[in-house]
Amino acid sequence: VTGAAVDLLTQEIERLSRAVQQCRALADAGPIDAPIVVNLLAYIDALVDELVNEMGPPHSSSP
Amino acid sequence: MGHTANGRWEQASAESISAYAILRLLDTIARAYEQVPFYRWFYAAAGLDPARLRTLADVRRHVPFVTKADLLAFQDGQELAGLGRPGIRQFHLTSGTSGMGREIHVRDVRDIAALGTGGAYAYLWAGLEPGQRLLLTIPYGQTLAGPYFQASCQAAGLVPVNGFALDSEARVEALRAYRCAGLSATPSHLHRLTAVARRNGLEPAVELPSLRSIILSGEAYSLPWARDMQEFWGAQVHEGWGATQTLGVALATCPSGAVVEREGSVTRGTLHALDHRVFVEVLNGEGEQVEPGCRGEIVISTLRSFGTPCIRFRMGDEIRRDHRPKCACGMQLSRYEAGTLCRIDDMIKIRGMNVWPQAVDGAVLEMAGITDYRGSVYTDDDGREQVLLEVEATAGAYSPGLQDTLQRRVKAAIGVTPLVRVVPQGTIADPVGDSDGPFKVRRWRVRRVAQDRQP
């Protein structure tokens, strides 16, 4: 995995952190029905799982 | 290694790949038992406690094989075969009609995220690059094929050209008009496209300069034929193998392609298994792994499939393990010989559809006054794959509309419209029996150009 890929992943994590903050702020303001957000989050979770499998097991420099 | 898809696995050692795959296999079995009703039922019936499995030897000793009949038996007792389970987002039917029924494979969001990854390996190893266009020719329906091809293009960064609804002439034109770099087709259909292109005087080297790879799937093919295709189209021939049960591609040829020419000799290329996604066993009749160079049945266990994982599933396909000590590409992913994959049972691939003769038996022989028939699949002079049924009818059964009725019934049963010739009773010779095993009528004959020329 190249440094560029790690940089991209870092950026995505930062974007997700900001999204989490927005979600918390919205949740504090009251419940909002947002199936689209829920479905997108499930897809992101599934994609991360797929990404981890393609990168091999954790705590290892090679698969 | 020329074209890379994921160096993490392409450069991994055989030991690390195997260790990872076995861990994933044990995890998959335990998870399936906990979460998938079929395995809860199937393993309970077999007396298997997945928590006691520790090694691959344990798996081979204790985990039973799953067959199509097992999945169908479970489906029969379930309302819509698990379609109502929470989290299901797609379902795919196995193609064709076996006479037994079609399996329903349900998919959750994790399956959808994983759907295209295997195919992306096939395309990227074939030398296709992000942004390039790939002509797809397999129909988009309720089978896995349509969503799989779209997802594979997305995972590889390719732009799909959806040629499903085009005829052969229009598909050849689409290759030119959209400057496609790749073509995905069955060997039979590639043969048809080649006949059309030759008839029209097409010179691929001049008119299709962008075409660099042809990816075959679905049927066996001979080495001389594949070499002819490579020469005519000026594109490297590759192969991918997968199925509904494997959630897409499980085996793909490496960058060396399906035809390898080196130092004056021509040999079959190498299919590599995506061992970190699908655990592949090639077994003999006793259920033991065959030696390199030998043929056996493919038994797969999916490691990246969640809605309907397939664990030790007998595919009914056989393949030859690669006899060579290593592949020139250097990858340590397990190896098989390209172009050697074929069916074990009497299923016939017709125009990309899986057809079991018993489905045609039902459509034809259940009509009053029909006494027997013979079927043949062949390549006509124009390169088209044709099905001819010679149907024997009593004098009383014959009517002017009989041919049309038979065509409609067979089309409804198998999805393919045959040519029908009605012949008088007594014309067709006695059926030919199977020489080994229970008596089984051999009504069918398959003569395809792509498979006729053996290496």
Side-chain angles (χ1 to χ4, degrees):
Chain A
V1 178
T2 65
V6 174
D7 289 347
L8 187 59
L9 192 54
T10 306
Q11 285 172 30
E12 291 305 319
I13 291 167
E14 288 169 358
R15 274 155 50 91
L16 279 171
S17 295
R18 286 197 294 275
V20 168
Q21 287 170 11
Q22 284 180 306
C23 280
R24 284 203 176 119
L26 286 169
D28 289 345
I32 293 176
D33 193 13
I36 288 175
V37 173
V38 172
N39 288 336
L40 284 170
L41 285 172
Y43 190 53
I44 290 169
D45 182 56
L47 281 174
V48 169
D49 194 49
E50 180 67 1
L51 177 69
V52 168
N53 191 67
E54 283 303 309
M55 291 199 300
H59 314 303
S60 167
S61 58
S62 65
Chain B
M1 186 87 189
H3 307 290
T4 189
N6 184 354
R8 289 281 292 174
W9 292 105
E10 291 154 0
Q11 294 165 23
S13 68
E15 293 75 21
S16 62
I17 294 168
S18 174
Y20 184 77
I22 292 167
L23 275 178
R24 294 285 314 169
L25 177 61
L26 292 167
D27 177 61
T28 299
I29 294 168
R31 182 169 33 81
Y33 183 64
E34 283 173 19
Q35 300 176 2
V36 181
F38 169 77
Y39 287 97
R40 173 68 69 177
W41 167 75
F42 192 66
Y43 289 164
L48 175 68
D49 177 6
R52 300 178 65 179
L53 302 173
R54 294 279 183 274
T55 66
L56 179 59
D58 290 345
V59 172
R60 288 192 161 137
R61 193 175 305 120
H62 299 297
V63 177
F65 296 117
V66 177
T67 65
K68 180 183 185 73
D70 296 322
L71 290 181
L72 293 177
F74 184 73
Q75 264 177 223
D76 275 351
Q78 298 285 310
E79 187 181 1
L80 287 175
L83 261 178
R85 270 167 48 203
I88 298 306
R89 295 291 179 267
Q90 288 190 20
F91 73 97
H92 304 129
L93 304 178
T94 48
S95 76
T97 306
S98 63
M100 294 169 69
R102 300 173 77 175
E103 300 157 41
I104 300 178
H105 290 251
V106 296
R107 314 297 187 191
D108 69 13
V109 70
R110 294 168 295 179
D111 297 316
I112 294 167
L115 186 54
T117 310
Y121 276 89
Y123 297 155
L124 294 169
W125 285 349
L128 300 178
E129 296 173 9
Q132 291 183 332
R133 286 161 299 284
L134 172 68
L135 178 66
L136 304 173
T137 59
I138 309 287
Y140 198 129
Q142 200 58 53
T143 63
L144 176 75
Y148 154 76
F149 279 113
Q150 302 298 311
S152 296
C153 283
Q154 182 179 331
L158 302 177
V159 178
V161 176
N162 295 318
F164 325 124
L166 303 178
D167 63 19
S168 298
E169 299 256 359
R171 286 174 178 171
V172 173
E173 173 55 20
L175 282 175
R176 190 195 63 75
Y178 300 113
R179 297 176 196 159
C180 293
L183 163 64
S184 170
T186 62
S188 295
H189 188 59
L190 177 62
H191 192 80
R192 163 73 180 150
L193 293 179
T194 306
V196 168
R198 283 184 165 139
R199 189 184 63 211
N200 293 346
L202 183 88
E203 292 184 53
V206 176
E207 297 174 66
L208 305 175
S210 303
L211 188 65
R212 61 186 303 170
S213 303
I214 296 170
I215 299 107
L216 301 175
S217 60
E219 297 164 0
Y221 53 88
S222 76
L223 189 57
W225 176 86
R227 193 183 184 203
D228 285 351
M229 294 298 105
Q230 200 155 268
E231 284 178 5
F232 174 75
W233 292 96
Q236 193 176 34
V237 170
H238 282 263
E239 181 183 350
W241 175 81
T244 306
Q245 293 87 352
T246 60
L247 194 71
V249 156
L251 311 177
T253 47
C254 65
S256 302
V259 179
V260 178
E261 300 192 41
R262 195 170 291 124
E263 297 169 358
S265 68
V266 182
T267 56
R268 290 187 184 275
T270 303
L271 284 161
H272 290 271
L274 304 177
D275 296 319
H276 64 301
R277 306 186 62 79
V278 179
F279 190 88
V280 179
E281 300 172 87
V282 179
L283 306 180
N284 62 21
E286 283 73 50
E288 297 157 346
Q289 182 85 351
V290 302
E291 294 298 317
C294 296
R295 300 186 71 93
E297 181 178 9
I298 302 178
V299 175
I300 60 98
S301 300
T302 51
L303 308 180
R304 297 297 303 155
S305 186
F306 299 88
T308 307
C310 284
I311 300 169
R312 304 206 87 200
F313 187 90
R314 300 185 77 132
M315 292 298 304
D317 289 312
E318 74 168 25
I319 199 168
R320 187 187 299 147
R321 286 186 68 195
D322 198 357
H323 65 283
R324 295 160 285 206
K326 61 181 181 180
C327 181
C329 73
M331 288 195 294
Q332 299 296 306
L333 295 163
S334 58
R335 291 175 288 110
Y336 309 89
E337 287 185 37
T340 65
L341 202 135
C342 62
R343 289 294 299 178
I344 290 173
D345 65 12
D346 49 5
M347 188 194 87
I348 306 166
K349 277 269 186 190
I350 302 176
R351 298 176 200 162
M353 297 286 288
N354 298 343
V355 174
W356 279 265
Q358 53 266 45
V360 182
D361 292 355
V364 174
L365 298 176
E366 285 171 13
M367 281 187 70
I370 302 298
T371 50
D372 204 352
Y373 81 95
R374 291 290 176 274
S376 56
V377 182
Y378 64 97
T379 310
D380 71 13
D381 293 342
D382 217 13
R384 271 186 299 255
E385 203 176 14
Q386 297 284 15
V387 181
L388 172 66
L389 298 183
E390 289 185 291
V391 181
E392 195 179 82
T394 58
Y398 186 80
S399 71
L402 181 59
Q403 258 177 319
D404 288 347
T405 304
L406 283 163
Q407 280 183 320
R408 277 199 305 276
R409 286 175 62 92
V410 174
K411 164 80 174 169
I414 64 171
V416 174
T417 304
L419 304 170
V420 174
R421 184 185 300 152
V422 179
V423 298
Q425 195 172 12
T427 307
I428 291 177
D430 288 340
V432 180
D434 241 354
S435 57
D436 52 356
F439 180 82
K440 185 163 60 175
V441 174
R442 292 275 183 214
R443 291 194 169 91
W444 285 82
R445 190 161 180 263
V446 179
R447 296 285 294 174
R448 286 195 184 95
V449 175
Q451 295 165 11
D452 276 353
R453 299 173 53 187
Q454 295 303 315

